[in-house]
Amino acid sequence: MAQLDFTLSAGPTVASARTLAALGAPITYHYDPDFLALFRRTQQKVATLFETTNDVVLMQGEAIVGLEGAARSLVRPGMHVLNLVQGVFGKGMGYWLTDFGAVLHEIEVPYDEAVSPESVEQYLDAHPEIELLTVVASETPSGTVSDMSRIGPICRSRGVLTLVDTVSGVGGMEFRTDEWGLDVCVAGAQKCLGGPPGVAMVTVSQAAWDAIEKNERAPRASYLSLLDWKEKWLIGGVFPYTPSVSDMHGLEACVDAMLEEGVDAAIERHRKSALVTRAGVRGLGMEIWPARDEIAAYCVTSVRLPDSIDHLELRKYVRERYGVMLSSGQGAGNLIRIAHMGPTASGLYPVVGIAALGRALVDLGHPVDIGAGVEAALATISSQS
Ligand SMILES: *Cc1c(COP(=O)(O)O)cnc(C)c1O
């Protein structure tokens, strides 16, 4: 087995030396004044990253803890909820919503497509009983995005609350929480920020807090409780449970790096890497998975595979033979993903992904033009200013 040289997976991804060093900071008591100051500062920095003045709740655990906590907090039995499904995470949200007692409405499209804002508008107008919309801003397993700049305002103007999974969205695509009127947004650190997989960043609007406070079923005295974080920590200054001290150091470091770079510059870096990777894929003679370039993510490029090649076997082969870790389809389809998120959305990383993918396909008996793929990727880098 080759040693692991390049992690080009779709999260967790590579962390910078600065983030790794921060993760190694001394572990302190969580009520140490230095840690309290770090925690509060980091909340503020995360708000800047999300472009919001809403409350920020930093939950300890993978982003899923934030998503489940938010969904449980918002959903009352019998509440009508519209869930947009264009991939695996959207589909999974629907199962939760049903489980929590919602009356589930869904607009579902094939996993290489995106739900159109027009269809959301029409559906909400035809169903004024809907109180909450759930959507995935960046469907990482399929490498597609939703147009939040339009879906947000459509919901806000109709008084419909929004719960947005932007785990791989923040930092890798335009994401304007307040301008787009988004109520509850959940992100993780291990995607475009290149941080540790262990914290969930959740933003909560006043309208969302009002709905949660009125919801008798919202978790209280629970690891999943947003209300505990609000009442105990945001208001009372007491943690509901001990935060992951090391992860918080790592989170501050990766958020600092992105704010210093500038969020718009970071997004542009992800966009450029996506263009390089897409050109490389097409140069190989392959197709990207998303049906249209306009809905393709900036943080990951998913590549459609022929039936003769299995995505899991291909991922395993590339890792074992060439020491490059890619991501598989994760339920979205027979596809392989080259991620360019966090530190790997830079320079020649995408070219490494194209070269390793191309040679692996040839090794496994599927002819592709490796030279043309690599050259197309390099030519795209060369043409970028
Ligand atoms: C990574 C990710 C999550 C978190 O899920 P895990 O399965 O724990 O990685 C949630 N939603 C999206 C869109 C993600 O990309």
Side-chain angles (χ1 to χ4, degrees), residues 10-12 62-65 67 88-90 96 135-141 144 165-169 186-188 190-191 197 299-300 330 337 341:
E62 211 279 332
I64 292 288
V65 79
L67 286 168
V88 177
F89 282 103
W96 267 343
V135 57
V136 181
S138 169
E139 260 291 357
T140 330
T144 59
D165 172 345
T166 184
V167 175
S168 70
V186 182
Q190 78 276 26
K191 307 275 165 92
C299 65
V300 61
Q330 210 187 328
R337 292 178 290 157
M341 52 174 61

Side-chain angles (χ1 to χ4, degrees), residues 216-237:
E216 285 178 10
R217 292 286 287 271
R220 287 165 202 268
S222 156
Y223 204 80
L224 291 170
S225 177
L226 285 175
L227 280 174
D228 288 357
W229 275 100
K230 179 175 171 107
E231 289 164 7
K232 293 191 171 151
W233 169 249
L234 294 180
I235 296 172

